[in-house]
Amino acid sequence: EQRATAVVQRADVFSPEALARHIAGLRGRCDAAVIMGLDHPLVRAAIDDLVAGGVVVVTLVSDVPGSRRTRFVGIDNVAAGRTAASLLGRFVGPRPGRVGIVMGSRALRDHAERLFGFEQVMGAEHAQLKLLAPIEGHDLSQRTEPLVTELLQAEPELVGLYSIGAGNRGIQAALERSGRASQIVWICHELTPHARQALLTGVADAVINQDAGHEIRSACRLALAALSGERVLTDQERIRIDIFLRDNMP
């Protein structure tokens, strides 16, 4: 039996300076740190300093692969982006049109990887659909709602929308208010209560999900294993990509 105390701390993941300062402040205050943040030189350096100080670091959801972190816990985000493109392309069908993309930030590696996978499949398999330049909403509904409202007004030929990050409440509100929700295929991430409701009402067409509970438990198990030298069961720690439609919601 292992005894451990976990403390959750909030930091501004969109500010590399603030996040690096926060990480630096953990030195000497914990044995292990599970970190979700930007892949940025300042953040990488702060993680490396923490590891040099004897702290085990596990990255969660969004990786910082150039750092000395022990493990990354999360889905294959390139595959998640490819999955979103396959779903959106098949749901739209042969009709031509334009596709909008909303992301938190290109500086978040999980968002950048999803975008890469999405663009790969759309370019190779759905050439009739033109991708618009991504909108960055910093995962905030109050930012995504006016941005998507503006997009809908500017793009009468919009047939699809891919939401890479959070801020889906704002996107849902903009789609519903436009009266075009039924004509636009919307694929988003994470089965939150709001995304669930959007699926039920038909505003969202599919939700790509990662099991947050499994990720947190896995990150803690891996951190404790690194501290104690225990063996890790790789298959147990693999995070699956789940696809939810209105018909198969848990």
Side-chain angles (χ1 to χ4, degrees):
E1 187 185 347
Q2 291 173 317
R3 292 182 175 274
T5 303
V7 178
V8 178
Q9 297 184 358
R10 292 178 179 271
D12 182 358
V13 297
F14 291 103
S15 166
E17 296 83 7
L19 184 58
R21 274 196 308 274
H22 197 104
I23 293 168
L26 297 174
R27 191 165 180 168
R29 294 172 54 204
C30 60
D31 299 302
V34 177
I35 295 169
M36 177 182 169
L38 298 176
D39 182 16
H40 184 277
L42 284 173
V43 176
R44 284 196 292 273
I47 289 173
D48 289 351
D49 287 346
L50 206 56
V51 173
V55 178
V56 169
V57 174
V58 175
T59 50
L60 180 69
V61 177
S62 190
D63 197 10
V64 187
S67 70
R68 292 175 60 195
R69 56 100 174 108
T70 303
R71 290 287 291 265
F72 163 62
V73 176
I75 57 173
D76 177 338
N77 282 294
V78 175
R82 292 176 65 88
T83 302
S86 288
L87 290 167
L88 191 144
R90 287 168 196 229
F91 285 166
V92 169
R95 62 185 165 133
R98 293 153 90 84
V99 174
I101 301 166
V102 184
M103 63 195 304
S105 167
R106 287 177 184 272
L108 281 170
R109 192 174 183 93
D110 59 331
H111 289 200
E113 288 179 348
R114 289 174 193 176
L115 178 62
F116 176 72
F118 186 76
E119 289 175 337
Q120 264 190 331
V121 170
M122 293 302 289
E125 298 178 19
H126 304 287
Q128 83 281 12
L129 299 174
K130 175 180 168 47
L131 300 186
L132 299 169
I135 295 166
E136 294 193 14
H138 280 208
D139 286 350
L140 297 168
S141 287
Q142 62 264 39
R143 287 185 69 155
T144 57
E145 186 171 346
L147 289 170
V148 174
T149 297
E150 197 178 311
L151 175 72
L152 289 162
Q153 288 167 350
E155 297 291 345
E157 292 175 23
L158 197 75
V159 293
L161 192 60
Y162 175 36
S163 172
I164 288 178
N168 289 326
R169 253 183 302 172
I171 297 171
Q172 181 181 349
L175 281 169
E176 287 175 340
R177 200 169 50 248
S178 74
R180 291 162 63 195
S182 60
Q183 290 107 56
I184 294 170
V185 173
W186 177 30
I187 310 293
C188 61
H189 282 263
E190 313 319 335
L191 193 65
T192 63
H194 293 284
R196 183 185 289 272
Q197 194 253 337
L199 269 183
L200 283 170
T201 56
V203 179
D205 294 87
V207 175
I208 297 168
N209 191 65
Q210 52 193 319
D211 186 334
H214 183 192
E215 284 176 322
I216 296 292
R217 290 189 296 274
S218 178
C220 291
R221 275 196 301 266
L222 289 166
L224 288 168
L227 288 168
S228 65
E230 283 185 21
R231 237 177 99 249
V232 170
L233 297 173
T234 306
D235 285 347
Q236 186 184 5
E237 310 308 341
R238 189 171 292 115
I239 311 296
R240 294 193 320 269
I241 296 170
D242 297 318
I243 301 169
F244 290 114
L245 309 176
R246 182 162 56 178
D247 313 286
N248 72 329
M249 280 192 293

